Amino acid sequence: MRSKLMIVAAMLAGVVSAVAPASAQQYPTRPVALVVPFAAGGPTDVLARTMAAAMTKHLGQSVVVENTVGAGGTIGANRVAKASPDGYTVFIHHNGMATSVGLYRKLSFNPMEDFEYVGLVADVPMTLLGRKTLAANNLQELTAYLRANREKVTLANAGLGAVSHLCGMLFQKAIGLDLVTVPYKGTAPAMTDLLGGQVDVLCDQTTQTLPQIAAGNVKVYGVTAPNRIASLPNVPTLAESGLKDFQVVVWHGMYLPKNTPKAVVDRLNGAMQAALKEPDVRKKLADLGAEIVTPDKQTPEGLRVWLKAEIDKWTPIIRAAGAYAD
Ligand code: ASP
């Protein structure tokens, strides 16, 4: 009797293990959530929605962007870290995935242990902007203005862990000033307030700022890339304007909760890579100043290695600066 039971149990186990990979193979059979850790309409959201639309075609199921905002991106990351590892909760995030390790002493997730990696997506430069009515017309004038008005000038960001925060922190350090900062849940609401003149300065990704610059709605003082960018040929880099070595490039990766089956990771990676080959995606991202990473980086290993290197780079810098978020 006992051995019969064991045979039945073994058969059932066989059925279960045969079913699990099969369902991973059929993935996806329902809509997939793509979690963005910042506000809708902002730079990360724009990249996410471009990818979601193209990946929908390749997956045969809708990829639906969900904005889980707050705490510089860590609330969204925590949601995905704790989500079911079934491939229906995907995450897109930037440098904040690495800088959060140094910034938060009590981080509720571990970027190197709680995720599977789909791949790196695209690099995006940032631009240093001022409200349209700001008197300064170049970086030198801006620096002089900030120095003279240091008590009343406001610098917007998207919270500790956001790249706007990182860029603003590096900028203040570079010019030797401590400004009043105003945190938002993303740079979309920060941009709204810059346009309305409620805040004075914002460092933000070109995926949101280029249309505003083109329309003349904001002043632009420099790009954070190592070289001038094609869409802003007349705007100098901050480094060439005198802020030696100033460089912030925003990289983006796609993640899944840890233990998501490999077949699902591969399927999503295939859809991500296919999306990045599409001419309209390539054009849209290029028009927004984004540079698609080389194919070797559009891989799980490419993202894992990159993330580890970024954590190793930023953690000691942030800890040395004593810039904790909690
Ligand atoms: N990129 C973020 C956003 O989409 C903000 C940031 O990281 O500064 O709002």
Coordinates of all heavy atoms in Angstrom, one line a residue, residues 126-139 141-142 145 191 194-195 199-204 209-223 232 235-236 238:
M126 N 21.0 63.9 -18.9 CA 20.1 64.8 -18.2 C 20.5 66.3 -18.7 O 21.5 66.5 -19.3 CB 20.4 64.7 -16.7 CG 20.1 63.3 -16.2 SD 20.2 63.2 -14.4 CE 18.5 63.7 -13.9
T127 N 19.6 67.2 -18.4 CA 19.8 68.6 -18.7 C 19.5 69.4 -17.4 O 18.7 69.1 -16.6 CB 18.8 69.0 -19.8 OG1 17.5 68.5 -19.4 CG2 19.1 68.5 -21.1
L128 N 20.4 70.4 -17.3 CA 20.2 71.3 -16.1 C 19.3 72.5 -16.6 O 19.6 73.2 -17.5 CB 21.5 71.8 -15.6 CG 21.4 72.7 -14.4 CD1 20.9 71.9 -13.2 CD2 22.8 73.3 -14.1
L129 N 18.1 72.6 -16.0 CA 17.1 73.6 -16.4 C 16.8 74.6 -15.4 O 17.0 74.4 -14.2 CB 15.8 72.9 -16.7 CG 15.8 71.7 -17.7 CD1 14.4 71.1 -17.8 CD2 16.3 72.1 -19.1
G130 N 16.4 75.8 -15.8 CA 15.8 76.8 -14.9 C 14.5 77.2 -15.4 O 14.1 77.0 -16.6
R131 N 13.7 77.8 -14.5 CA 12.4 78.4 -15.0 C 12.7 79.5 -16.0 O 13.7 80.1 -16.0 CB 11.6 78.9 -13.8 CG 12.2 80.1 -13.1 CD 11.3 80.6 -12.0 NE 12.1 81.2 -11.0 CZ 12.6 82.5 -11.1 NH1 12.3 83.2 -12.2 NH2 13.3 83.0 -10.1
K132 N 11.7 79.6 -16.9 CA 11.8 80.5 -18.1 C 12.2 81.9 -17.7 O 12.9 82.7 -18.4 CB 10.5 80.5 -18.8 CG 10.5 81.1 -20.2 CD 9.1 81.0 -20.8 CE 9.1 81.7 -22.1 NZ 7.8 81.6 -22.8
T133 N 11.6 82.4 -16.5 CA 11.8 83.7 -16.1 C 13.1 84.0 -15.3 O 13.3 85.1 -14.9 CB 10.6 84.2 -15.2 OG1 10.4 83.1 -14.3 CG2 9.3 84.3 -16.0
L134 N 13.9 83.0 -15.2 CA 15.2 83.2 -14.4 C 16.1 84.1 -15.3 O 16.2 83.9 -16.5 CB 15.8 81.8 -14.3 CG 16.6 81.5 -13.0 CD1 15.8 81.7 -11.8 CD2 17.2 80.1 -13.1
A135 N 16.7 85.0 -14.6 CA 17.5 86.0 -15.3 C 18.8 85.4 -16.0 O 19.2 85.9 -17.0 CB 17.9 87.1 -14.4
A136 N 19.3 84.4 -15.4 CA 20.6 83.8 -15.9 C 20.4 83.1 -17.3 O 19.4 82.4 -17.5 CB 21.1 82.8 -14.9
N137 N 21.4 83.3 -18.1 CA 21.3 82.8 -19.5 C 22.4 81.7 -19.8 O 22.4 81.2 -20.9 CB 21.4 83.9 -20.5 CG 20.1 84.7 -20.6 OD1 19.0 84.1 -20.5 ND2 20.1 86.0 -20.5
N138 N 23.3 81.5 -18.9 CA 24.3 80.5 -19.1 C 24.7 80.0 -17.7 O 24.3 80.5 -16.7 CB 25.5 80.9 -20.0 CG 26.1 82.2 -19.4 OD1 26.4 82.2 -18.1 ND2 26.3 83.2 -20.2
L139 N 25.6 78.9 -17.7 CA 26.0 78.3 -16.5 C 26.6 79.3 -15.5 O 26.4 79.3 -14.3 CB 26.9 77.1 -16.7 CG 27.2 76.3 -15.4 CD1 26.0 75.6 -14.9 CD2 28.3 75.3 -15.7
E141 N 26.3 82.6 -15.3 CA 25.3 83.5 -14.8 C 24.4 82.8 -13.8 O 24.0 83.3 -12.8 CB 24.4 84.1 -15.9 CG 25.2 85.1 -16.8 CD 24.4 85.6 -18.0 OE1 23.1 85.5 -18.0 OE2 25.0 86.2 -18.9
L142 N 24.1 81.5 -14.1 CA 23.2 80.7 -13.2 C 23.9 80.6 -11.8 O 23.3 80.8 -10.8 CB 22.9 79.3 -13.7 CG 22.1 78.4 -12.8 CD1 20.7 78.9 -12.6 CD2 22.1 77.0 -13.3
Y145 N 23.9 83.7 -10.0 CA 22.5 84.0 -9.5 C 22.2 83.1 -8.2 O 21.7 83.6 -7.2 CB 21.5 83.7 -10.6 CG 20.1 83.9 -10.1 CD1 19.4 85.1 -10.2 CD2 19.3 82.8 -9.6 CE1 18.1 85.3 -9.7 CE2 18.0 82.9 -9.2 CZ 17.4 84.2 -9.2 OH 16.2 84.3 -8.8
M191 N 8.4 69.2 -13.1 CA 8.4 70.0 -14.3 C 7.2 70.9 -14.3 O 7.3 72.1 -14.7 CB 8.4 69.0 -15.5 CG 8.4 69.7 -16.8 SD 9.8 70.8 -17.2 CE 11.0 69.7 -17.8
L194 N 8.1 73.8 -12.3 CA 9.1 74.6 -13.0 C 8.5 75.5 -14.0 O 8.8 76.7 -14.1 CB 10.2 73.7 -13.6 CG 11.4 74.4 -14.1 CD1 12.3 74.9 -12.9 CD2 12.3 73.5 -15.1
L195 N 7.5 74.9 -14.8 CA 6.8 75.6 -15.8 C 6.0 76.7 -15.2 O 5.8 77.8 -15.8 CB 6.0 74.7 -16.7 CG 6.7 73.6 -17.5 CD1 5.7 72.7 -18.2 CD2 7.6 74.3 -18.5
V199 N 9.1 76.5 -8.7 CA 10.5 76.1 -8.3 C 11.4 76.7 -9.4 O 11.0 77.1 -10.5 CB 10.7 74.6 -8.2 CG1 10.1 74.0 -7.0 CG2 10.3 73.9 -9.5
D200 N 12.7 76.8 -9.0 CA 13.6 77.6 -9.9 C 14.5 76.7 -10.8 O 14.7 77.0 -12.0 CB 14.6 78.4 -9.1 CG 13.8 79.4 -8.2 OD1 12.9 80.1 -8.8 OD2 14.0 79.4 -7.0
V201 N 15.0 75.6 -10.3 CA 16.0 74.8 -11.0 C 15.6 73.3 -10.9 O 15.1 72.8 -9.9 CB 17.4 75.0 -10.4 CG1 18.5 74.3 -11.3 CG2 17.7 76.5 -10.4
L202 N 15.9 72.6 -12.0 CA 15.7 71.1 -12.0 C 16.7 70.5 -13.0 O 16.9 71.0 -14.1 CB 14.2 70.9 -12.5 CG 13.9 69.4 -12.9 CD1 13.8 68.5 -11.6 CD2 12.5 69.4 -13.6
C203 N 17.2 69.4 -12.5 CA 18.1 68.6 -13.4 C 17.2 67.3 -13.8 O 16.8 66.6 -12.9 CB 19.3 68.1 -12.7 SG 20.5 67.3 -13.7
D204 N 17.0 67.1 -15.1 CA 16.1 66.0 -15.5 C 16.5 65.4 -16.8 O 17.2 66.0 -17.6 CB 14.7 66.7 -15.5 CG 13.6 65.6 -15.6 OD1 13.9 64.4 -15.2 OD2 12.5 65.9 -16.0
T209 N 12.6 66.4 -21.0 CA 12.9 67.8 -21.1 C 13.0 68.3 -22.5 O 12.8 69.5 -22.8 CB 14.2 68.2 -20.4 OG1 15.3 67.5 -21.0 CG2 14.2 67.8 -18.9
L210 N 13.3 67.5 -23.5 CA 13.6 68.0 -24.9 C 12.4 68.8 -25.4 O 12.6 69.9 -26.0 CB 14.0 66.9 -25.8 CG 15.4 66.4 -25.6 CD1 15.8 65.3 -26.7 CD2 16.4 67.5 -25.7
P211 N 11.1 68.2 -25.3 CA 10.0 69.0 -25.9 C 9.8 70.4 -25.2 O 9.5 71.4 -25.8 CB 8.8 68.1 -25.6 CG 9.4 66.7 -25.4 CD 10.7 66.9 -24.8
Q212 N 10.1 70.4 -23.9 CA 10.0 71.7 -23.2 C 11.1 72.7 -23.6 O 10.8 73.9 -23.7 CB 10.0 71.5 -21.7 CG 9.0 70.6 -21.1 CD 7.6 71.1 -21.3 OE1 7.3 72.2 -21.7 NE2 6.6 70.3 -21.0
I213 N 12.3 72.1 -23.8 CA 13.4 73.0 -24.3 C 13.1 73.5 -25.7 O 13.2 74.7 -26.0 CB 14.7 72.2 -24.3 CG1 15.1 71.8 -22.8 CG2 15.8 73.0 -24.9 CD1 16.3 70.9 -22.7
A214 N 12.6 72.6 -26.6 CA 12.3 73.0 -27.9 C 11.2 74.1 -28.0 O 11.3 75.0 -28.8 CB 11.9 71.8 -28.7
A215 N 10.2 74.0 -27.1 CA 9.1 74.9 -27.1 C 9.5 76.2 -26.4 O 8.8 77.2 -26.3 CB 7.9 74.3 -26.4
G216 N 10.8 76.3 -25.8 CA 11.2 77.5 -25.2 C 10.5 77.7 -23.8 O 10.4 78.9 -23.3
N217 N 10.0 76.7 -23.2 CA 9.3 76.8 -22.0 C 10.2 76.9 -20.7 O 9.7 77.2 -19.6 CB 8.3 75.7 -21.8 CG 7.2 75.7 -22.8 OD1 6.9 76.8 -23.4 ND2 6.6 74.6 -23.1
V218 N 11.5 76.5 -20.9 CA 12.4 76.5 -19.8 C 13.8 77.0 -20.3 O 14.0 77.0 -21.5 CB 12.6 75.0 -19.3 CG1 11.4 74.5 -18.6 CG2 13.0 74.1 -20.4
K219 N 14.6 77.3 -19.4 CA 16.0 77.7 -19.8 C 16.9 76.5 -19.6 O 16.7 75.7 -18.6 CB 16.5 78.8 -19.0 CG 15.8 80.1 -19.4 CD 16.6 81.3 -19.0 CE 16.0 82.5 -19.7 NZ 16.4 83.8 -19.1
V220 N 17.8 76.2 -20.5 CA 18.7 75.1 -20.4 C 20.1 75.6 -20.2 O 20.6 76.4 -21.0 CB 18.5 74.1 -21.6 CG1 18.7 74.7 -22.9 CG2 19.4 72.9 -21.4
Y221 N 20.8 75.0 -19.2 CA 22.2 75.5 -18.9 C 23.3 74.5 -19.2 O 24.4 74.8 -19.1 CB 22.2 75.9 -17.4 CG 21.3 77.0 -17.1 CD1 20.1 76.8 -16.3 CD2 21.5 78.3 -17.5 CE1 19.3 77.8 -16.0 CE2 20.6 79.3 -17.3 CZ 19.5 79.1 -16.5 OH 18.6 80.1 -16.2
G222 N 22.9 73.3 -19.6 CA 23.9 72.3 -19.9 C 23.4 70.9 -19.9 O 22.3 70.6 -19.4
V223 N 24.1 70.0 -20.6 CA 23.8 68.6 -20.6 C 24.8 67.9 -19.7 O 26.0 68.3 -19.6 CB 23.7 68.0 -22.0 CG1 22.6 68.6 -22.8 CG2 25.0 68.1 -22.7
L232 N 20.6 68.5 -29.1 CA 20.8 69.9 -28.5 C 22.2 70.3 -28.9 O 23.1 70.5 -28.0 CB 20.7 69.8 -27.0 CG 19.3 69.6 -26.4 CD1 19.4 69.4 -24.9 CD2 18.3 70.7 -26.7
V235 N 23.8 73.3 -27.0 CA 23.9 73.4 -25.6 C 25.2 72.7 -25.1 O 25.4 71.5 -25.4 CB 22.7 72.6 -25.0 CG1 22.7 72.6 -23.4 CG2 21.4 73.3 -25.4
P236 N 26.0 73.4 -24.4 CA 27.3 72.8 -24.0 C 27.1 71.8 -22.9 O 26.1 71.8 -22.2 CB 28.1 74.0 -23.4 CG 27.0 75.1 -23.1 CD 25.9 74.8 -24.0
L238 N 28.0 70.3 -19.2 CA 28.4 71.1 -17.9 C 29.9 71.0 -17.8 O 30.5 72.0 -17.3 CB 27.7 70.4 -16.7 CG 26.1 70.6 -16.7 CD1 25.5 69.9 -15.6 CD2 25.8 72.1 -16.6

